[in-house]
Amino acid sequence: MPARLSTGRKIAWRLRGFAAILAASPACRSIPEGKVREMSQLEDAYRDLAEADGLAEVLDAGYGAFLAVLSVIQAHQDRHDDLFAAFVLAGGPASHGRFAIHAAPALSSAASARPIPDCGPRAVPSRDAADAIGRLGQLLVSKLTVAAAVAREPEDRRACTEAARHARALTSLFDGAPP
Amino acid sequence: MNDRATFGDLAQQAVRHLEAINRSGVDGTGVIALTAEVQEFAAGLDRLLPVLDRYLADIAKSASVHDGTKLGPWERAALSAPAALRSARRHLPRPVPTRTWSSVQRTASVTREMGNAGRAMTAGRDLLHMHFTTTPGGIREPHSEWARIIESPRVNRALLAEVARWVRPLADRGIQLTTAAARQRGQLPDDLRAVMTACRCLTLLTTSVDKAHAAEPLLGYDVRELHAIPVSVLRPRRVPERGATTAGLCQGVADCAERIRRHAETEPENPAWSQTLTSESLSQSAASATTVSQHTAAILRALAGQAAVKDMVRLSQKMTAAAQAAERSEQDWLAAARGWYYTHIDAKAKISATAAETADLALWTGRLAHANPAWTPGSGSGHPARPLGEQPAEPEDLPQTVNALLKATAAITTIAATDYIQLRGAAQHGRLLVPVVRRGPSQRGTKGFDRAPIEHAESVLANYRSAGTASAQLNAALMGLAAELQPRRQLKASARSAARTAATVTGLHRDGTVPSENVGQPEKKADRPAMKDEAPGPIERILTELGVTDADVLNHGTALDADIGRVVGQAAHDTAPNRWNHAMRELKSVADTDFIVEHVLAGRGFPGAPQEPRPRGLAPLAPEQPQMEAGK
């Protein structure tokens, strides 16, 4: 849990953690409705990451952001999708970014217990989803780079650096540059 | 489009230098000068013969491996040629050091030409040997896709013919010089006589090759294939240029696929401890293979549409079937790639060369599939597929696209096989991990990675099995397509008949004589064997070897070869699940239809034929297992 949080925010983080554990349970996963739409997932992840302050919060929000990306790209991994290749190739950086953060000691157990959310079939144009992932990726790069600079534990620092690298790879896939 | 130095380049260079020594006549040359020239010639021959001897030793070694119980004319020639050459070496007098400045002036060009020819020959042999490696135990192993071709009996014959081609001008010049010297002196001294005898021994060698050619004509294709063997250095890694042509992209795909296959063969280490075995590389390879499959499907769909518009119904159907196979491959590779969303390997290393090159292959095939000349994965497919725009305008242009796709799919099948083997080893040693959060009685969690449960590891492996099978089936479908395109290409060449024999390439007539019109003529430089050269199928080859020159009969043979190719393509497709994980790993295994036909005629590959023994260490193939479900 982040060390510098107010009591209210600590409670909120705990609740979020319980919700994540609940969501991870098989019973919860079988509920067909309640799936968050892809764009709202990315927007929520972006907001959480933008608001995150301190190493632990950035790691928690970053972990959630990579999960959201994994969820959305799976929805767009359809051969008829305009950006099929980019969404398929984005899976690697997103999952490796997630695993890099998973290894960080400062990541809360509640955050790391969250599974990849299922957002169902794609609902928005692929270009919009790609742009949202690109923006989220850029934010991940900047937040994780700063987090790496302030991290005291070498393992945290390494995790942030690794995750930032994967976020950079993710972003480059959607800006038209060669992979 | 072959920018690498080939054996043909070096062979031709040797021929040019050897022919140069025959250009100057001997009439009017004085006795002293003639004697000096014979001595220089003998010294040059003394340096050349060991090089030729090494060639013949290689050839005899291969011939003795392939001969079986009954020796054919070429095998007999291969086994007798070293004896003739050694006999020549024995007769050759020890070289006499040049005594006078005038003799050097007179004969320096002979020494230079023979020296250059020797260097070209030595480089040629080195080039062939570069395609093999020697294990610490001294066993020669293939190092490239060309190794199998070099070891093949037909290319071995072509090499023997090439050696005879080099020896012929040497023997002629030696006899010419010594005869002239004998005319002027009346009686030859012992050393000149010895040179004459040595050259007669060399004539025995060329005669035996000529006889073999007369009995069983060498095919021009085999000689061109020998000449097309490139230096065993991969072309440097490159990315497609903006606005590259279809031909350039096809070549880029083929080069990239060759590099992938080479890396996939040489890179893997022991999966129990290898630090280069990372989830990053494996997942990138799987994702790239997914996109390669998708691009293949897009190209084939577009080509099928183009064929349908031109009323080529059968071709269109074949292309549609191949496109469906590509889509299955795409789905199975996608499942394999998604497996890495839930699986981790705790190793840190830079991306493997195979994974990096596979990403390149995705870019190459993407450029081939899309009309956008600067396509990247992030630019999307909003443009029409390339084949609908500028790609194959004529059906004759289709083979290069199909061949490029064939190589690309062979590469991803190789990746499936090598990654599967690596992953299985990694799973056995507990290196496949899954993220976990352990919660104790205090509800405080500790997190990390745990060894993946058996079902999870099985699921990952099952995904790779499915991807490998689907890729092999796609490869087989493309082979069927290539066979479909073959008769169209060959039946048009109704006037080829006798041109199949090697006369235009080796300078050999059927009766073993040298056609005068070919002397000194540059050879046709062959392209890569599977790309453009017209390789004869087995029936056509038999007909040609029987001496058939009638174009209709040969065309009938070609049509039969095409039918065989189609049957084999179907058989390869049907049997892919049983053999993908080892057959596809063999270098150059199913890279072209002609090889498959040969392979099948040798008794392997037809449905119901005995299966090859499975390599040790590979688990029996289980029936398809359910794909990994998200969130497992």
Side-chain angles (χ1 to χ4, degrees), chain B residues 222-404:
Chain B
D222 296 339
V223 179
R224 285 195 293 276
E225 194 162 46
L226 168 70
H227 285 187
I229 295 169
V231 63
S232 180
V233 176
L234 293 175
R235 286 192 182 83
R237 187 181 166 197
R238 61 195 173 99
V239 289
E241 294 166 7
R242 189 188 171 91
T245 61
T246 300
L249 291 169
C250 287
Q251 185 65 50
V253 168
D255 290 345
C256 192
E258 186 189 354
R259 292 172 61 82
I260 289 170
R261 285 167 70 83
R262 178 77 67 88
H263 289 313
E265 290 293 330
T266 56
E267 228 174 21
E269 294 173 352
N270 189 334
W273 48 260
S274 169
Q275 284 302 301
T276 57
L277 185 69
T278 64
S279 44
E280 219 174 308
S281 293
L282 290 162
S283 76
Q284 179 168 311
S285 293
S288 301
T290 308
T291 54
V292 168
S293 302
Q294 196 239 358
H295 295 150
T296 304
I299 292 168
L300 291 169
R301 288 257 179 229
L303 290 176
Q306 204 176 48
V309 168
K310 293 182 180 174
D311 286 336
M312 294 187 279
V313 179
R314 189 184 166 89
L315 192 62
S316 176
Q317 286 170 345
K318 283 269 177 191
M319 285 172 168
T320 305
Q324 287 166 349
E327 284 165 2
R328 281 193 295 277
S329 170
E330 172 216 300
Q331 280 306 301
D332 289 338
W333 269 113
L334 181 59
R338 283 181 169 178
W340 292 106
Y341 301 175
Y342 310 97
T343 316
H344 184 59
I345 293 177
D346 191 18
K348 295 274 181 289
K350 63 180 183 180
I351 288 287
S352 68
T354 307
E357 299 272 6
T358 315
D360 288 354
L361 187 63
L363 192 61
W364 281 104
T365 53
R367 291 279 170 90
L368 195 58
H370 296 95
N372 179 358
W375 180 89
T376 61
S379 59
S381 53
H383 300 269
R386 188 184 184 94
L388 292 178
E390 53 134 313
Q391 236 214 341
E394 296 298 325
E396 285 79 5
D397 292 336
L398 288 175
Q400 68 174 356
T401 305
V402 172
N403 271 316

Side-chain angles (χ1 to χ4, degrees), chain A residues 29 74 77 79 82-86 88-89 91 95-96 98-99 102 104-105 107 109 112-113 116 127 165-166 173 176 179, chain B residues 279-280 283 287 291 294 327 330-331 334 338 340-343 376-378 380-382 435-437 445 447-448 630-631:
Chain A
R29 276 170 51 204
Q74 286 189 76
Q77 285 170 348
R79 76 173 65 99
D82 188 39
L83 288 167
F84 174 82
V88 171
L89 294 171
S95 57
H96 303 314
R98 170 208 179 188
F99 288 144
H102 189 86
L107 175 73
S109 300
S112 62
I116 301 170
R127 185 53 70 184
R165 181 170 68 83
H166 292 302
L173 276 169
Chain B
S279 44
E280 219 174 308
S283 76
T291 54
Q294 196 239 358
E327 284 165 2
E330 172 216 300
Q331 280 306 301
L334 181 59
R338 283 181 169 178
W340 292 106
Y341 301 175
Y342 310 97
T343 316
T376 61
S381 53
V436 290
V437 179
K447 59 196 165 37

Side-chain angles (χ1 to χ4, degrees), chain A residues 1-2 5 7-21 60 108 110, chain B residues 444:
Chain A
M1 189 188 306
L5 290 182
T7 312
R9 290 196 76 179
K10 280 180 185 169
I11 293 168
W13 270 98
R14 284 219 174 94
L15 286 173
R16 191 180 287 190
F18 288 137
I21 291 167
D60 283 10
S108 72
Chain B
R444 274 182 66 86

